Each structure stands twice: as C-alpha cells, then as structure tokens.
Amino acid sequence: MTKYIFITGGVISSLGKGIASASIGKILESRGLKVTLMKFDPYINVDPGTMNPYQHGEVYVTEDGAETDLDLGHYERFTSAQMTRFNNVTTGQIYNAVISKERRGDYLGKTIQVIPHITHEIKERIKKVAAVSRADIVIIEIGGTVGDIESLPFLEAARQFRLDAGCENVLYIHLTLIPYIKCADEIKTKPTQHSVGTLREIGIEPDILICRTEKALSDEVKEKISLFCNVRKEAVIEAKDVASIYQVPSEFKNQILDEIILSHFKLISRLSNLKEWEKNVVERIINPEDRVAIAVVGKYVGLQDAYKSIYESLAHGGIHNNAKVEIKKIDSEEIEKDGPEKLLSEVSGILVPGGFGYRGIEGKIKAIKFARENNIPYLGLCLGMQCAVIEFARNACGMKSANSTEFKLKTKYPVISLLEEQKRVKNLGGTMRLGIYPCKIKKGALAYKLYGQGLIYERHRHRYELNNKYRSALEKKGMIFSGIYPKNNLVEIVELKGHPYFIAAQFHPEFKSKPDKAHPLFRGFIKAALEKSKCQD
C-alpha cells in the first residue's frame, strides 16, 4: 500500500520546505523506493502563470505544460520523479473543481461545504497522484505557515487522511525554526513549541520535527523539544545552515531520518547509497578546481527565487566542469543607465533569461551586443533568444528599428512576432505555448555538438517567436538557425558564426537540468566561460 508523508511549516515562511521535501525524496530513493511529490499552494489563483515574479518567484513548467510552483523544480532536480500538472494543487483549482461539479448537479442538491466537499476533493487529488505514479511513498508539501487561514482546508485534509489510510501509512513532518539570540547567546525553542501547539489544535500530531537552526542543537535542547512537543528525541532532526542545498540529503541521512521514516511505515529496503551524489555533486561544490564569473542580466534580479532554476542550472554546469560559478546579478535597467562596459567587463559569460514586458529590454539588448562584439560566451533563454535576434537585426543587418511586436506593435521590422495560434487567444491564464515540444537540430552546428543528437525535446513558455520572414536576411549576416520545430517550421535555437559560444534557445533548458546531469547548453556555456576566463588571466 502506498505510504504518505505530509510536510508542514511553522514559525516563519521561507524555511525551505521544498528543499526538505526534495531531500527526503532523495534519501528514500537511495533506499530503492519509488517516490513522487506534491505541492499544495493556498493561494486562490488557479496556477502561478499570471503572477508577477516578485509576487511568486519563478514559474516552473512541467513536461505536460503545467505552470507550477518553483518547488516542483527542486523535486525534479533531487529525485527521478517526473512532475505533472497533478503534482501541484492550489486552492483555486480545488474550488474551481468543486464549483464546476456543483453547477453540473453532481452533488444532488446537497449544501456544498469546506468539510466534506473541499477536503474530499483535496484527498482525491492525492489518491490520483498515488495511483498514476504507482509510487511507494507520496510526499506532500503543504505551503504556507501553520496558523495561516488560507492553508486550513489542506491541513484538515491531511488530518483526515490518517483516518482514511491508517496510522501506519501516514506520517507527519513539521519543519520549524529554532532562533538563535546573539546578544544572549541562547537558542530558543519556544517558537517551535507554539508552532507544534497550533498544529496539534488543528488535530495533527507531528511524528518528526525538522529544526532549521544556525547553531548545532545540543542533546539538552533536543530533549527539551522532545518533551514539550511530544516527539521522540531521535525524531528531532537538526537542519543546520549548509554551504549548498545539495548537502541536505546527506545531512538527513547522517541523522538516520530515512531509518525513522521506514521504521514508522514498517518498510524494509536496501541500504542507503548516496556515494555517487556525494562524490560527483557535493564534493565538487565544496572543493571546486576552478572559478568563473557569470553575469545574469535580468529584470527580476532583486528576488532570488525569480530565476531559481537558472541559478541552479548554472551551478550544475559548474559541477560538471568542476568549477564554482560566481553569479553576478545585473539589473538590465542599470545597463540602460550606465552602459554594459561598467557592469560586464569582469565576467567570463553573459546569460539573458526569459521575461515579459518592455521594461529593461534595451539593457538586455546592450548586454547581448557587448557579448557578441567582445567574444564573450553568451546563453540566451526564451526572451534572451528574442533579444539576441533583435540586437543582431539592428546592429548586424542594418534594421535599426527592429523590435518585437510585444514591445512595439507597429515596428518597421517585426523580427519577433506573436505566434499564429496566439492571435486568437483572449484568456491569458495557461494559454501560452507550454510544455514539451520536439526540436530538430542541424548537423554540424554547435547545438548538435552539445546535445550529441539530432532530435531533442524541451519545455516552452512563450507567446512570441522569431518571424520567418526575416530568416534569410539574418542568415546572410551570419546567424545560424540550428534548431527547428518541424511541424510549424519555428526557430528554436539560434547561433552565430565565428563566435566562441553564442547560442540562444526559445525554450527553457533550465527546467531539465540536474546537479548530477547538467543540461548540455549549461555544460557547454560554463566550459566556454572557463576558457574565456583563462584567456583573460
């Protein structure tokens, strides 16, 4: 029978429930168990697709085209589980489903209430993922903080789930904060006691506590937490700050968290095997042979989570090349004001990520021109590809007013234009070109060398595309269209002749990169940047 782990958070937000959930998935996979993970988000939006990155952070896109929470990225990077639209559940989705059923008359005249109808719908989503994935263990992360009114239906569903599935098949883990008061030189357990007390008032008794802390927890502190929170001492897990998130699975394994979980479920499995992970990922992060500086030129650099998968993918490229990637976050509006030379002269690679809207675009274009003219390795992603085409059209092809119709509808040279199928779209939520599409790669191109194959599949999230009317003019001046979506003849990858590494993709390769299997475009980008760095030295 499938086992279920519910992970909740207390005291404050941003404690790292997503990393904790993914790390637990990793150590359970290392025992030979099949896992899948889910994220419950309390907001009423159906998905994060229409939210500003400053509101929500990155929107992570799954193979089947769902716009989901960024924590699903952690799940896929740490484990072999493949996320789908069913692995991210929001309050908006649940209420939308229940109201739709009520409108159809499915409830046969009943009064629709949070309990049992909303909670029942939540539980059905969990059972559906368990059935489809055929996982041994389903890990469910409940967003928000215990005590928030928005997450109460999810917590109630989690409480009911133990009654439905049986105590031996459900386990509750609570992630909490143990603050350190510097002036008193004391660790305080009271916030954790209050958080657990709030959770128990809801009806959930945590089996395991994961305690985020700056300082190591003494046996005395663990005993106190155990006594006041009614959790076994060995089930009080220390989650001390570490240099890299990829160390967390080993930290949990060293505290026998996997053994505690398996003991609760009465499961027998093989011994844990994280040797390859520790050797090929953690060791290379902690003791890299080289260092390289990479500029990420974006418009949301003020928020760490806005480009989460990109930052992680750059780190993966560094792991593959045994180098530490030092990321320099550059606001593209600053380049508009101060010019690229001042901000980009000391980096060995430039990356321009995706985004929407005209703000900061001219700064991105200036950064790309700087990379092209100075032979600095460049990687463009989605909007970063579109800006590369605009820059090349303006400065290499003589189309001085070239632009995207997203930014200037009546531009003389619309080198980037709205996809044909998007012209009929009225609703903005979930209607972009989303999910996985095939891309045929031109033999002899840099992309072919990087991928090592002629047909790839990548994830997309966009409405605009390179205008085929201008392909011939761009090609004559040295732009290579090395990746094509065969069905609609859409350009997916562009390169430049004579440049050491200039490649840009309409898709989002960052969604398919893992620490132990860096994406080819990021592997190649960091390798080229390292070579550039050595030349600069």
Side-chain angles (χ1 to χ4, degrees):
M1 185 175 180
T2 304
K3 312 297 182 182
Y4 302 88
I5 299 174
F6 290 90
I7 298 180
T8 57
V11 184
I12 61 172
S13 59
S14 300
L15 284 179
K17 290 195 300 297
I19 300 295
S21 301
S23 298
I24 290 167
K26 181 67 182 178
I27 61 174
L28 292 175
E29 270 197 349
S30 77
R31 302 294 299 261
L33 296 164
K34 184 177 182 182
V35 304
T36 193
L37 301 98
M38 298 181 71
K39 173 69 183 290
F40 287 167
D41 276 309
Y43 52 73
I44 299 174
N45 303 65
V46 171
D47 59 46
T50 57
M51 292 189 209
N52 187 301
Y54 282 122
Q55 287 278 314
H56 181 270
E58 170 189 86
V59 174
Y60 188 80
V61 179
T62 58
E63 298 272 290
D64 62 351
E67 295 174 291
T68 70
D69 184 76
L70 61 85
D71 280 326
L72 273 73
H74 294 312
Y75 305 161
E76 288 200 333
R77 286 189 283 271
F78 277 72
T79 74
S80 60
Q82 185 168 299
M83 299 294 102
T84 71
R85 63 181 66 255
F86 302 113
N87 292 78
N88 192 191
V89 179
T90 69
T91 295
Q93 290 173 12
I94 295 299
Y95 274 84
N96 188 47
V98 170
I99 291 169
S100 295
K101 288 178 181 178
E102 185 273 331
R103 292 289 84 190
R104 287 199 307 263
D106 291 8
Y107 297 114
L108 302 175
K110 294 178 182 176
T111 300
I112 312 306
Q113 297 176 292
V114 173
I115 303 172
H117 300 96
I118 296 297
T119 52
H120 175 77
E121 186 69 26
I122 294 168
K123 291 187 291 182
E124 287 302 303
R125 297 294 179 103
I126 299 171
K127 292 172 186 175
K128 182 170 186 175
V129 167
V132 171
S133 67
R134 297 184 179 181
D136 299 307
I137 298 178
V138 180
I139 301 169
I140 304 111
E141 175 194 348
I142 300 177
T145 304
V146 169
D148 294 346
I149 192 169
E150 294 93 343
S151 58
L152 283 175
F154 291 117
L155 293 168
E156 172 60 20
R159 181 195 70 80
Q160 293 176 17
F161 212 87
R162 179 171 270 185
L163 299 176
D164 297 347
C167 293
E168 70 282 2
N169 296 316
V170 176
L171 180 139
Y172 300 115
I173 297 177
H174 190 54
L175 181 67
T176 183
L177 177 69
I178 306 292
Y180 169 66
I181 310 301
K182 189 175 181 179
C183 61
D185 192 27
E186 286 183 357
I187 284 174
K188 293 296 183 182
T189 66
K190 191 65 72 178
T192 292
Q193 294 176 42
H194 284 305
S195 182
V196 171
T198 301
L199 194 60
R200 288 163 74 180
E201 287 175 6
I202 294 167
I204 295 175
E205 186 90 24
D207 302 291
I208 297 170
L209 291 179
I210 297 177
C211 302
R212 284 298 308 273
T213 176
E214 294 179 51
K215 298 280 186 177
L217 302 181
S218 65
D219 281 346
E220 182 184 4
V221 169
K222 286 188 176 182
E223 285 170 2
K224 184 177 181 180
I225 294 170
S226 170
L227 177 64
F228 283 95
C229 296
N230 198 32
V231 174
R232 290 179 301 157
K233 180 185 170 186
E234 62 269 26
V236 178
I237 305 298
E238 177 185 289
K240 197 176 176 184
D241 295 346
V242 288
S244 166
I245 58 173
Y246 300 118
Q247 292 174 262
V248 177
S250 298
E251 293 292 318
F252 285 173
K253 186 196 76 169
N254 293 340
Q255 296 178 73
I256 64 168
L257 178 56
D258 51 340
E259 294 287 353
I260 295 168
I261 292 170
L262 295 178
S263 174
H264 176 90
F265 288 138
K266 297 181 173 60
L267 289 174
I268 298 172
S269 70
R270 73 185 188 199
L271 294 175
S272 176
N273 182 12
L274 284 175
K275 288 182 181 178
E276 290 297 312
W277 179 269
E278 290 168 346
K279 176 185 174 184
N280 296 327
V281 176
V282 177
E283 178 60 27
R284 288 187 173 202
I285 291 172
I286 303 304
N287 298 303
E289 291 181 359
D290 284 305
R291 292 176 180 269
V292 64
I294 301 293
V296 174
V297 181
K299 57 199 290 185
Y300 310 117
V301 292
L303 180 69
Q304 171 71 15
D305 284 347
Y307 301 121
K308 191 67 177 176
S309 289
I310 290 171
Y311 297 150
E312 293 305 317
S313 297
L314 286 170
H316 303 163
I319 292 167
H320 180 86
N321 289 282
N322 210 344
K324 177 178 175 58
V325 178
E326 296 172 344
I327 299 173
K328 190 175 181 182
K329 301 171 186 176
I330 308 292
D331 190 323
S332 56
E333 289 184 284
E334 293 298 314
I335 292 179
E336 291 177 357
K337 288 188 289 185
D338 300 329
E341 294 83 1
K342 179 180 177 181
L343 298 165
L344 301 174
S345 58
E346 295 181 1
V347 301
S348 301
I350 296 170
L351 185 152
V352 172
F356 300 91
Y358 185 61
R359 181 177 64 84
I361 291 298
E362 295 302 325
K364 292 184 179 187
I365 291 170
K366 287 181 179 180
I368 295 166
K369 183 174 185 282
F370 185 79
R372 181 174 63 83
E373 293 182 340
N374 292 280
N375 286 329
I376 299 171
Y378 174 73
L379 178 59
L381 309 178
C382 196
L383 181 61
M385 185 201 97
Q386 296 172 7
C387 288
V389 172
I390 294 169
E391 188 281 322
F392 193 76
R394 287 180 184 179
N395 301 308
C397 301
M399 306 177 202
K400 295 302 180 185
S401 61
N403 216 323
S404 167
T405 57
E406 179 184 4
F407 312 134
K408 191 175 181 182
L409 189 60
K410 304 264 185 193
T411 178
K412 184 178 179 181
Y413 301 107
V415 292
I416 303 295
S417 59
L418 193 64
L419 283 159
E420 194 60 37
E421 65 266 24
Q422 288 292 317
K423 293 176 181 177
R424 297 182 296 274
V425 170
K426 293 183 179 179
N427 294 331
L428 296 181
T431 56
M432 283 186 273
R433 184 175 182 234
L434 291 165
I436 198 161
Y437 287 87
C439 173
K440 191 174 180 180
I441 299 182
K442 183 178 181 180
K443 282 191 177 181
L446 173 60
Y448 194 92
K449 180 182 176 183
L450 293 168
Y451 280 96
Q453 56 187 320
L455 185 65
I456 60 168
Y457 294 84
E458 294 282 3
R459 303 181 194 182
H460 296 68
R461 183 176 183 252
H462 63 106
R463 296 186 194 276
Y464 292 81
E465 180 65 67
L466 191 149
N467 190 336
N468 283 335
K469 293 177 182 178
Y470 295 93
R471 275 170 62 170
S472 178
L474 294 164
E475 208 164 21
K476 284 177 184 176
K477 291 295 183 177
M479 181 164 276
I480 301 166
F481 306 112
S482 58
I484 302 293
Y485 172 50
K487 185 178 177 181
N488 292 348
N489 193 29
L490 299 177
V491 175
E492 299 278 41
I493 306 174
V494 301
E495 304 174 15
L496 289 184
K497 283 181 184 176
H499 195 285
Y501 193 96
F502 192 106
I503 191 165
Q506 184 58 74
F507 48 79
H508 289 269
E510 68 270 25
F511 295 148
K512 295 189 75 171
S513 187
K514 291 175 179 278
D516 49 356
K517 192 178 180 181
H519 190 282
L521 296 186
F522 284 92
R523 289 200 312 255
F525 179 52
I526 298 303
K527 182 182 177 182
L530 281 166
E531 291 169 357
K532 176 70 173 178
S533 177
K534 288 169 185 175
C535 291
Q536 290 170 329
D537 293 341

